[in-house]
Amino acid sequence: MDGAAGPGEGPAEDTLRALSQRLRAQEEEMALVKAALAEALRLLRPHGPPLIAHGSSAATPSRHAPARPPAAPLSARAWHGWLKRTCSRSPVTPSSLEPARGPTLVSRGTQTEPEPEPEPEPEPPSLSNGPRFPPPGGAEGPGSAPTPAPADSSPAPPGALRPGPPQRSDTPRRNSSSASPAERPRQKLSRKAASSANLLLRSGSTESRGGKDPLSSPGGPGSRRSNYNLEGISVKMFLRGRPITMYIPSGIRSMEELPSGPPPETLSLDWVYGYRGRDSRSNLFVLRSGEVVYFIACVVVLYRPGGGPGGSGGGGQRHYRGHTDCVRCLAVHPDGVRVASGQTAGVDKDGKPLQPVVHLWDSETLLKLQEIGLGAFERGVGALAFSVADHGAFLCVVDDSNEHMLSVWDCSRGLKLAEIKSTNDSVLAVGFSPRDSSCIVTSGKSHVHFWNWTGGTGVPGNGTLARKQGVFGKYKKPKFIPCFVFLPDGDILTGDSEGNILTWERSLSDSRTPGRGGAKETYGIVAQAHAHEGSIFTLCLLRDGTVLSGGGRDRRLVQWGPGLVALQEAEIPERFGAVRAIAEGPGSELLVGTTRNALLKGDLAQGFSPVIQGHTDELWGLCTHPSQNRFLTCGHDRQLCLWDSEGHALAWSLDLKETGLCADFHPSGAVVAVGLNTGRWLVLDTQTREIVSDVTDGNEQLSVVRYSPDGLYLAIGSHDNMIYIYSVSSDGAKSSRFGRCVGHSSFITHLDWSKDGNFIMSNSGDYEILYWDVAAGCKLLRNRYESRDREWATYTCVLGFHVYGVWPDGSDGTDINSLCRSHNERVVAVADDFCKVHLFQYPCARAKAPSRVFAGHGSHVTSVRFSHDDAYLVSLGGKDASIFQWRVLGAGPATPSRTPSLSPASSLDV
């Protein structure tokens, strides 16, 4: 058939006939192969899973060892020949199908893709090469003792075959059979079944192929499932259908010995750094108790300046944490105790929408009194205001829908009394007239609206709202009117984007005034004063009747007397940004919120100083000081900040000029390394803030920097798939390139040093776990089994046996952003993509491990780190730019650890 003539060398009929014959022959061969495989499965089914091979962990290759399956697709003819040769070398006997009495044999290799073997193994023939036969090796009979391994060889995992002394092979020749011609087809089928059985036996070692465990299914994409092998040597989980194999430490005999249940430790929110002034309004008030109330992320903070439980001079904080998504606005009841806070819409971890809602709560007890408008608002709550003339009986709400629905609610019963579409333009402020609760004012993009509300008898849904539009007449109509304030005489002052303050005087209704409905009274502009360069963001009525205005571009605070006469002014330092909100404190004290998320305290005469500071953009970099209660953060706002966790204050900040993504302190604490998004990394003196080293490795962003525990090396993980290793001087100020760890097939995400400072464990974006011998020249350790008992100075890798239980079902591999083991090795903290911080017991090596869950962040949590003494945990929010400091409760003494020893010398092995 192979010599059939082509179309140009004979009649077409001969060519077609030859091709048909070849096709029939291949179909017959494929049918024979299928029958052989079916027979092999039938023979193996009564004997259990075919994952066990003969011999001990140091066994030498035997003539009964299965042949390696083809590395490339073969034709039916090639399969036929390979099956015959495998059958002649490895006949199936009853003893070969029995479960082995020795330990389970598991091959080594990577968990996600094939890894090159140090020694070649025999392969079947392929289409491109001839037959290969196994090299001479030690043949071992079923009852012979295994050949001992050399004494100086490194330990190998079970199933890692070692070459033995040459011995004579007893493999029978293929043509030595004396069977009759009638019995040969049956023997031929048996030999094929035997060869197929050996194939299945070989397939028990899935790691070297990066294949799937025959005993388990990885599930569909996005699934996370774990499976144990028969002897407990390794555990396997799947992320997005990719297998990840992790070896169990030798000190653990049974998975039941590992901790179960949530940890006894818990977290209490101690301090929140930051204030949401960047993109929100109506966010700063003073309560009757003297506490300042503001919000960031999902937390409403009640802050008492100067003194209190926060430490020396740092004030104290309490927190209302009833919201499930980011808070957008606040309003304080006329009694100075009750607070209304509105949140935006969001989604939960399952993608289900979270509806916006208003919480009415008591600031003294922090208990929720009413939940107003659940299901009635769209997108979020944009503005809130309590009525004043009737002691706060009603609440006005404007949502963020396209029509910006304006609604009035009964505070005591939580019932909606009236609702109307206000405008398609943005609404930035809302308020009740302090003299008449039937008058409501809204302002925003290119409008000021005056609303007359009727139906205050409390009948749900029977109220009506009538609107009259403010007319600018001869005055230039501004693009935005961000704020307004009611004067004691009933007039209204508005601040606009042109920097002007307009005075609107109340007058009787005029039929010629455009508008809808029958508003009893109307307002008209009677005066204008140019107050600021750029927009006016806020107006505040003080107790003495004067008005404060806060400017955007010019950052000025101006006090205005009657007739809009300027009395006094002050300028906010540029580093704090523009004025966003103003609140009057005790005496002459003023509190000012800024657009760079800072809260300032002071007065117009003496100036202002910060009491609360924070970042202004997404945060990623976090590290804690090795011996002091300090931590360092960096992010997309290009600011590097060192924080004092005892004084709850910013120690210093530095402009990096580029985005900072990762950081780590030298063990001495004298310097800190910071990785940037351009491939640059800096080393700074923590005392002088001077840059002592500036190096660039590649042009990709750096995702992790980590000093070795002895401080002699610095490892830098990059998005160019490499880990750069530098030798570091004793003081950390000088460094020189030592080598590179090359072997990852995706960007580096996390890495940790061993306790002896010689090895690195690293994770990558394609879910690899690799180990490196740095002392030996940054050598990749291909035998991952040998690293199963290695002890790690830190544990921040999100993939590994000790922490694989933190992954939730259905994870896509990006659901966990950061992880950190406590220094006493009792618990592990996890930052996830669903705004939560988790606390697990360590080691966390049980599937679906329970945890303690802590909410508060309004965006993905990007990083978590324990303080040097495990007294605190610091977590970073992503887009919400918040920093949470949690107090660890119930930890007990830091020296003893309840974690079982994971080394071979463990008492579990005695």
Side-chain angles (χ1 to χ4, degrees):
M1 293 181 290
D2 294 332
E9 299 176 1
E13 292 79 9
D14 294 340
T15 302
L16 292 175
R17 189 180 301 109
L19 293 175
S20 300
Q21 292 175 358
R22 292 186 63 179
L23 181 60
R24 283 195 297 271
Q26 289 181 355
E27 290 175 350
E28 292 172 359
E29 289 172 353
M30 291 301 298
L32 188 60
V33 171
K34 292 179 181 178
L37 291 174
E39 180 69 9
L41 292 174
R42 186 188 67 80
L43 292 173
L44 291 174
R45 190 171 293 114
H47 300 282
L51 290 175
I52 306 172
H54 284 287
S56 66
S57 60
T60 58
S62 166
R63 71 171 181 263
H64 299 291
R68 187 171 181 173
L74 303 180
S75 66
R77 183 179 298 276
W79 270 103
H80 176 71
W82 181 71
L83 286 171
K84 289 173 66 178
R85 285 189 293 276
T86 306
C87 169
S88 64
R89 294 197 301 268
S90 305
V92 174
T93 63
S95 62
S96 67
L97 294 176
E98 294 178 358
R101 295 175 176 83
T104 303
L105 304 184
V106 180
S107 283
R108 54 186 170 152
T110 63
Q111 68 279 15
T112 59
E113 59 181 20
E115 187 175 85
E117 294 288 342
E119 297 176 4
E121 293 186 16
E123 292 186 359
S126 67
L127 291 177
S128 60
N129 54 14
R132 297 181 182 175
F133 296 96
E140 183 179 45
S144 61
T147 303
D152 58 347
S153 63
S154 61
L161 304 180
R162 299 180 181 276
Q167 297 184 11
R168 186 181 63 186
S169 175
D170 297 330
T171 303
R173 296 176 59 185
R174 287 181 291 174
N175 58 357
S176 62
S177 174
S178 59
S180 62
E183 296 176 349
R184 286 175 184 170
R186 185 180 300 274
Q187 291 182 353
K188 188 175 183 180
L189 182 62
S190 298
R191 287 196 298 269
K192 289 185 178 292
S195 180
S196 300
N198 286 331
L199 273 175
L200 293 175
L201 284 170
R202 178 66 175 177
S203 69
S205 300
T206 59
E207 289 182 346
S208 60
R209 306 192 310 272
K212 300 178 181 179
D213 192 336
L215 294 181
S216 63
S217 170
S223 66
R224 198 278 299 156
R225 188 181 298 180
S226 60
N227 303 276
Y228 298 96
N229 69 1
L230 295 179
E231 297 295 331
I233 291 176
S234 65
V235 65
K236 182 176 293 186
M237 64 180 287
F238 293 86
L239 289 175
R240 299 179 68 90
R242 304 190 67 173
I244 303 172
T245 300
M246 296 153 285
Y247 289 104
I248 303 174
S250 60
I252 298 178
R253 290 184 178 178
S254 170
M255 302 300 289
E256 300 301 323
E257 297 172 346
L258 296 174
S260 62
E265 290 85 354
T266 188
L267 300 178
S268 173
L269 187 56
D270 177 65
W271 197 265
V272 177
Y273 299 85
Y275 150 84
R276 186 167 180 173
R278 173 188 53 178
D279 60 352
S280 66
R281 295 169 174 81
S282 301
N283 55 13
L284 182 64
F285 299 91
V286 177
L287 302 176
R288 187 178 67 182
S289 62
E291 293 174 300
V292 182
V293 57
Y294 59 94
F295 58 83
I296 183 171
C298 303
V299 177
V300 183
V301 181
L302 292 84
Y303 168 66
R304 181 181 296 278
S312 58
Q317 280 188 359
R318 296 188 299 139
H319 310 96
Y320 176 73
R321 298 171 55 197
H323 286 281
T324 57
D325 215 297
C326 288
V327 182
R328 292 293 308 278
C329 54
L330 285 177
V332 175
H333 195 274
D335 63 10
V337 175
R338 284 176 284 179
V339 179
S341 51
Q343 74 174 49
T344 187
V347 295
D348 62 10
K349 61 180 297 184
D350 298 322
K352 297 179 180 178
L354 297 175
Q355 296 176 326
V357 69
V358 175
H359 286 192
L360 181 61
W361 48 280
D362 190 312
S363 64
E364 294 178 347
T365 63
L366 299 181
L367 296 178
K368 182 169 62 177
L369 305 176
Q370 286 281 355
E371 194 171 79
I372 296 175
L374 183 63
F377 309 128
E378 292 184 19
R379 298 182 184 172
V381 178
L384 293 170
F386 281 101
S387 61
V388 179
D390 47 21
H391 308 291
F394 306 109
L395 179 70
C396 184
V397 183
V398 180
D399 72 5
D400 286 333
S401 63
N402 290 337
E403 297 83 10
H404 296 94
M405 300 298 295
L406 174 69
S407 54
V408 180
W409 298 77
D410 186 325
C411 293
S412 60
R413 297 182 296 169
L415 298 178
K416 182 166 60 177
L417 304 178
E419 185 179 39
I420 193 172
K421 297 178 181 179
S422 63
T423 177
N424 290 332
D425 294 323
S426 300
V427 177
L428 303 178
V430 63
F432 282 91
S433 169
R435 304 174 63 180
D436 183 4
S437 294
S438 65
C439 178
I440 301 173
V441 179
T442 60
S443 70
K445 182 178 180 181
S446 301
H447 76 271
V448 176
H449 291 165
F450 304 95
W451 303 85
N452 185 58
W453 170 53
T454 58
T457 56
V459 179
N462 287 346
T464 60
L465 285 160
R467 183 186 72 184
K468 277 198 174 287
Q469 186 169 344
V471 178
F472 291 87
K474 64 180 181 179
Y475 300 97
K476 180 181 177 181
K477 187 175 184 179
K479 188 174 182 180
F480 288 97
I481 300 96
C483 56
F484 64 86
V485 65
F486 286 93
L487 297 178
D489 59 3
D491 291 346
I492 299 174
L493 298 182
T494 60
D496 59 41
S497 55
E498 303 294 328
N500 297 322
I501 297 179
L502 300 177
T503 303
W504 300 73
E505 188 177 70
R506 190 172 186 174
S507 61
L508 296 178
S509 177
D510 187 348
S511 59
R512 293 172 296 177
T513 303
R516 294 184 303 169
K520 294 184 298 182
E521 295 174 323
T522 186
Y523 288 83
I525 301 175
V526 296
Q528 173 181 285
H530 186 71
H532 294 270
E533 297 297 327
S535 181
I536 299 175
F537 284 162
T538 184
L539 293 171
C540 177
L541 178 66
L542 302 181
R543 287 187 290 267
D544 60 4
T546 60
V547 174
L548 273 179
S549 64
R553 186 184 306 170
D554 59 10
R555 307 185 313 278
R556 290 189 306 132
L557 285 169
V558 182
Q559 184 179 14
W560 303 90
L564 291 180
V565 176
L567 302 178
Q568 197 175 3
E569 68 176 61
E571 185 174 335
I572 301 299
E574 183 178 1
R575 68 180 184 273
F576 299 124
V579 178
R580 175 64 75 186
I582 304 171
E584 187 178 15
S588 62
E589 182 180 275
L590 298 174
L591 292 144
V592 179
T594 72
T595 56
R596 291 192 179 176
N597 294 355
L599 187 61
L600 312 180
K601 182 179 71 171
D603 56 42
L604 297 177
Q606 302 296 326
F608 295 85
S609 60
V611 291
I612 298 291
Q613 290 179 265
H615 285 270
T616 59
D617 208 340
E618 188 169 357
L619 294 175
W620 280 97
L622 170 65
C623 61
T624 53
H625 196 281
S627 59
Q628 301 176 9
N629 289 322
R630 292 189 165 196
F631 63 91
L632 186 139
T633 58
C634 57
H636 288 216
D637 61 358
R638 304 182 179 185
Q639 295 295 311
L640 181 69
C641 298
L642 181 67
W643 304 89
D644 181 356
S645 57
E646 288 185 346
H648 305 126
L650 178 66
W652 54 258
S653 65
L654 182 70
D655 188 0
L656 295 173
K657 307 298 183 183
E658 296 176 12
T659 299
L661 297 177
C662 51
D664 192 40
F665 279 101
H666 187 270
S668 66
V671 297
V672 61
V674 182
L676 308 179
N677 68 330
T678 58
R680 288 179 60 212
W681 55 273
L682 312 174
V683 178
L684 296 96
D685 188 303
T686 56
Q687 297 296 325
T688 65
R689 300 178 236 174
E690 294 181 355
I691 298 177
V692 298
S693 182
D694 186 342
V695 185
T696 300
D697 284 311
N699 55 7
E700 299 285 341
Q701 70 181 51
L702 304 180
S703 51
V704 55
V705 293
R706 186 85 69 239
Y707 282 100
S708 61
D710 54 13
L712 298 180
Y713 295 104
L714 172 64
I716 301 166
S718 172
H719 270 228
D720 63 8
N721 305 354
M722 288 185 284
I723 302 174
Y724 299 90
I725 307 297
Y726 282 80
S727 298
V728 181
S729 60
S730 58
D731 59 357
K734 298 181 180 180
S735 59
S736 60
R737 173 77 72 84
F738 179 80
R740 294 186 307 174
C741 298
V742 182
H744 273 292
S745 55
S746 185
F747 58 90
I748 312 301
T749 58
H750 307 82
L751 65 85
D752 290 292
W753 285 91
S754 61
K755 289 186 176 180
D756 59 12
N758 293 328
F759 300 90
I760 284 178
M761 170 176 58
S762 58
N763 293 167
S764 61
D766 58 353
Y767 322 126
E768 281 184 325
I769 308 173
L770 296 186
Y771 300 91
W772 312 86
D773 188 343
V774 175
C778 304
K779 178 183 177 182
L780 172 63
L781 300 178
R782 299 189 180 278
N783 190 348
R784 296 183 301 109
Y785 177 85
E786 295 180 350
S787 298
R788 64 174 184 161
D789 291 323
R790 191 158 285 122
E791 296 184 348
W792 303 101
T794 59
Y795 213 117
T796 60
C797 287
V798 298
L799 296 173
F801 170 79
H802 302 80
V803 297
Y804 86 91
V806 306
W807 287 89
D809 275 338
S811 175
D812 66 352
T814 63
D815 293 337
I816 293 179
N817 298 313
S818 177
L819 176 149
C820 183
R821 182 191 67 191
S822 62
H823 297 86
N824 59 19
E825 301 185 12
R826 296 167 63 94
V827 293
V828 58
V830 171
D832 71 13
D833 237 11
F834 311 108
C835 315
K836 301 295 189 296
V837 174
H838 299 257
L839 212 58
F840 293 86
Q841 290 204 65
Y842 180 86
C844 184
R846 290 175 178 264
K848 302 180 182 179
S851 67
R852 299 189 186 275
V853 185
F854 305 93
H857 284 288
S859 177
H860 53 289
V861 187
T862 57
S863 187
V864 286
R865 290 293 182 270
F866 284 97
S867 62
H868 71 99
D869 56 359
D870 293 331
Y872 296 98
L873 176 75
V874 181
S875 62
L876 300 184
K879 291 294 186 180
D880 63 22
S882 63
I883 304 172
F884 285 12
Q885 180 175 306
W886 309 82
R887 187 182 298 274
V888 182
L889 303 178
T895 303
S897 174
R898 65 168 175 268
T899 305
S901 175
L902 305 180
S903 65
S906 169
S907 60
L908 299 175
D909 285 335
V910 177

